[in-house]
Amino acid sequence: MAEIAQTARSRVIARRSPWGDLFRKEDWWSIWIGLGLIAVAVALFAGGGSIKWIAVAPQKWSHLSDVTLQLKQHALQYAALFVLWSVSFGIGAAALGIKISRFLPAFLLVYLAAGSIYFLGLWDQAAHYNLEPPLVALGLGLLVSNTLGVPRWLDPGLRVEFYIKTGIVLLGASLPLTLIAWAGPVAIVQAAIVSLATFGVIYFAAVRLGLDRRLAATLGTGGAVCGVSGAIAVGGAVGAKKEEVSVAISLVVLWAIVMIFLLPLVARALNLSTGVAGAWIGTSEFADAAGLAAAQTYGGYAGNVPGIAGNPDAAVSAFTLMKVIGRDMWIGVWAFVLSLIATARWERTAIQSKSRAAEIWNRFPKFVLGFIVASAVVTLVARGFDYAAYKKEVVPALVAPLQAFRTWAFTFAFLSIGLTTRIREFASIGARPFYAFTTGVVVNVVLGFVLSTQVFNEFWNRLGQ
Amino acid sequence: MSAPASPSCLSCKHFNHAPADLEAALPGLSSLSSAYAAVRGDDGICAVHQRYVTASSVCPAFA
């Protein structure tokens, strides 16, 4: 901490302009990149063209010779795509303060590894061997980071949140605005029930176990609202101890990783439809990137695993509606309310925090706006087409290339999760925080399952069709 | 244009809210979130009290 204090001396002391956030926060850069790609795609589509040349993606293959052939035929496109991603993410990273000379070599390796995993997922035997790309990316990353170790020079390229938020903005392009308006309220109701119950269970279990209320609240929002992001938002708002925030982060990461594997496995055993499984994962996973890994895995089962009904994209769509619209959007409100309670009711600390309603907007996950704008733009473009023309013209020239971009961005993120997760860090979690959080996990998973499969099941099934 | 500095944590020498330093100080933060995320606001770590606090907080140890 002495080093941190030393570094802090050179910090800018004037309050920054709020407009500066447009270029110094990852959320905004994910919007600029995601909407920028969508704007170019729409402009080309309007002129009778398509962005699909550069949105190259692997196709189904049976033998390694097919892969070689695909790579030879599309080498220039893959190189151009690398340049596009490098420039887009590189500029964003540079604006965030990450040296571009350090970002680019690391990103090259991420791109190559993600491309290999993307190809592997398109092998016609991949489903047979359970080689779903999100799980392979995560598993490979975990294996490397916890055995061989990850060299320091790779760190600047492992930006999980930057990639996942950009992917979520791009995901908006394949979700009609009418669907968001139709499903959003149900997602908010379901998520609110589970979030309040989970928070209450974790908070009161933690207090009963003798933990500090600030830690209890940080753990509670980590489990109930938006994972690590929830933990840091509320940890800061209530002025938690540094090690308490660390404990909450470790617990969320631990359980999020477990759930990536567990939720699709159980949903598959129960033959849940893609829409229902996506809603359950959206209710019961703790972080966006982890949940999208689980939801994309499950979507991949549709058409490949007997008994799994629904559209492959429905799992990711239902997850996103539940998690992003139902849970993430409300983090500012949670932080504000808990900061008010901490200031008024809890034992005082040497530091006085100020509760300001402006924090609701300050902490709002802005990438959600990009997701909604993306949906509105493509919905507007598609308005003049009937269903047959939409499938024949809009999907191949506009929507499918944007879906390919999204899959790339998600794969970068899934790989980065594994490569940044160190299992040994979980050793610092104490027994009491573990018990409190785990109690909430059980309630969250069971309640999320009941609401998704019993109470709102017809609704989520319809979404999947 | 920037507003003048106030005696809050934001302008205190003990307060660090540099994203790269926060990700180094809070292991796991970059695995499933980010110190560059909007949800963090301008929160940072106070080296005196070892707390993770908002930039608008105040305390007698301000320096």
Side-chain angles (χ1 to χ4, degrees):
Chain A
M1 284 313 295
E3 287 169 21
I4 287 181
Q6 190 75 30
T7 317
R9 288 193 186 101
S10 59
R11 209 89 321 121
V12 176
I13 61 165
R15 189 166 286 139
R16 284 170 169 162
S17 156
W19 295 105
D21 277 1
L22 296 176
F23 301 102
R24 69 183 181 97
K25 289 291 184 186
E26 212 168 50
D27 290 56
W28 285 110
W29 276 103
S30 67
I31 292 178
W32 306 141
I33 295 170
L35 290 187
L37 288 172
I38 291 168
V40 173
V42 168
L44 288 172
F45 178 73
S50 171
I51 200 171
K52 65 184 176 188
W53 182 84
I54 201 167
V56 62
Q59 303 300 311
K60 278 268 182 203
W61 58 275
S62 305
H63 305 285
L64 276 177
S65 56
D66 302 338
V67 175
T68 313
L69 187 66
Q70 282 191 39
L71 286 172
K72 271 186 188 167
Q73 284 177 336
H74 302 289
L76 190 61
Q77 289 163 271
Y78 281 108
L81 181 63
F82 171 69
V83 172
L84 176 68
W85 283 129
S86 298
V87 170
S88 305
F89 286 128
I91 292 173
L96 296 174
I98 300 167
K99 281 187 181 169
I100 202 158
S101 58
R102 295 186 63 216
F103 176 80
L104 287 180
F107 182 70
L108 173 61
L109 198 77
V110 170
Y111 180 77
L112 292 174
S116 306
I117 291 162
Y118 203 163
F119 262 101
L120 185 65
L122 271 296
W123 180 31
D124 61 6
Q125 297 298 309
H128 178 72
Y129 292 104
N130 291 322
L131 295 172
E132 289 79 19
L135 299 188
V136 172
L138 183 72
L140 181 69
L142 280 171
L143 186 71
V144 170
S145 67
N146 292 284
T147 53
L148 304 172
V150 176
R152 293 291 303 271
W153 65 267
L154 203 51
D155 288 347
L158 306 177
R159 302 302 322 167
V160 176
E161 282 284 285
F162 197 9
Y163 303 140
I164 211 76
K165 285 171 182 168
T166 305
I168 291 174
V169 172
L170 288 163
L171 174 65
S174 50
L175 278 181
L177 196 60
T178 45
L179 183 73
I180 296 175
W182 175 68
V186 175
I188 290 171
V189 170
Q190 179 170 331
I193 294 168
V194 178
S195 294
L196 290 168
T198 305
F199 178 84
V201 168
I202 296 176
Y203 179 83
F204 288 109
V207 171
R208 290 276 301 190
L209 287 166
L211 299 175
D212 181 83
R213 289 180 188 277
R214 287 175 171 81
L215 171 57
T218 306
L219 288 173
T221 34
V225 190
C226 52
V228 175
S229 296
I232 59 165
V234 168
V238 302
K241 288 178 188 164
K242 175 183 161 260
E243 65 266 25
E244 293 174 339
V245 177
S246 275
V247 165
I249 290 172
S250 295
L251 272 167
V252 170
V253 174
L254 170 66
W255 275 112
I257 299 285
V258 171
M259 291 298 165
I260 292 176
F261 295 97
L262 190 66
L263 291 177
L265 195 73
V266 176
R268 181 176 170 166
L270 297 172
N271 280 344
L272 298 185
S273 72
T274 50
V276 170
W280 183 31
I281 296 166
T283 317
S284 299
E285 244 299 359
F286 305 101
D288 290 354
L292 280 163
Q296 189 173 307
T297 297
Y298 202 76
Y301 293 157
N304 289 312
V305 175
I308 308 293
N311 181 327
D313 244 10
V316 167
S317 303
F319 168 83
T320 307
L321 288 165
M322 184 64 70
K323 182 72 172 61
V324 173
I325 305 290
R327 294 166 67 190
D328 292 355
M329 280 205 330
W330 309 98
I331 185 56
V333 177
W334 280 88
F336 174 61
V337 170
L338 287 165
S339 74
L340 280 177
I341 296 171
T343 309
R345 303 288 301 270
W346 296 347
E347 189 184 342
R348 287 176 185 269
T349 67
I351 299 176
Q352 286 181 7
S353 297
K354 292 178 184 172
S355 304
R356 300 181 307 153
E359 288 296 307
I360 295 173
W361 168 247
N362 285 347
R363 296 183 190 279
F364 183 85
K366 315 293 188 303
F367 70 95
V368 178
L369 301 177
F371 167 77
I372 293 170
V373 170
S375 170
V377 167
V378 176
T379 303
L380 207 63
V381 170
R383 262 180 74 192
F385 296 83
D386 60 28
Y387 185 69
Y390 175 81
K391 290 294 250 187
K392 192 178 170 199
E393 296 171 39
V394 183
V395 170
L398 179 64
V399 176
L402 293 173
Q403 284 175 329
F405 283 141
R406 177 189 92 197
T407 306
W408 277 104
F410 281 174
T411 311
F412 301 150
F414 301 150
L415 182 68
S416 301
I417 296 174
L419 289 172
T420 51
T421 302
R422 313 278 188 274
I423 291 170
R424 65 176 180 276
E425 285 161 6
F426 301 147
S428 61
I429 302 169
R432 288 182 298 162
F434 178 81
Y435 294 142
F437 194 85
T438 304
T439 310
V441 169
V442 173
V443 170
N444 180 307
V445 169
V446 172
L447 194 54
F449 178 81
V450 170
L451 290 173
S452 303
T453 64
Q454 306 299 318
V455 181
F456 297 112
N457 61 322
E458 279 186 31
F459 181 85
W460 297 116
N461 267 323
R462 236 186 312 156
L463 182 96
Q465 289 157 7
Chain B
M1 206 172 79
S2 297
S6 64
S8 67
C9 291
L10 184 64
S11 48
C12 176
K13 71 176 186 182
H14 302 301
F15 180 73
N16 187 358
H17 67 153
D21 294 340
L22 292 179
E23 290 190 353
L26 299 170
L29 174 56
S30 61
S31 297
L32 288 175
S33 185
S34 166
Y36 300 88
V39 294
R40 183 181 65 84
D42 268 329
D43 299 347
I45 294 172
C46 167
V48 172
H49 300 289
Q50 291 294 301
R51 283 189 182 270
Y52 184 67
V53 294
T54 58
S56 60
S57 301
V58 292
C59 94
F62 176 85

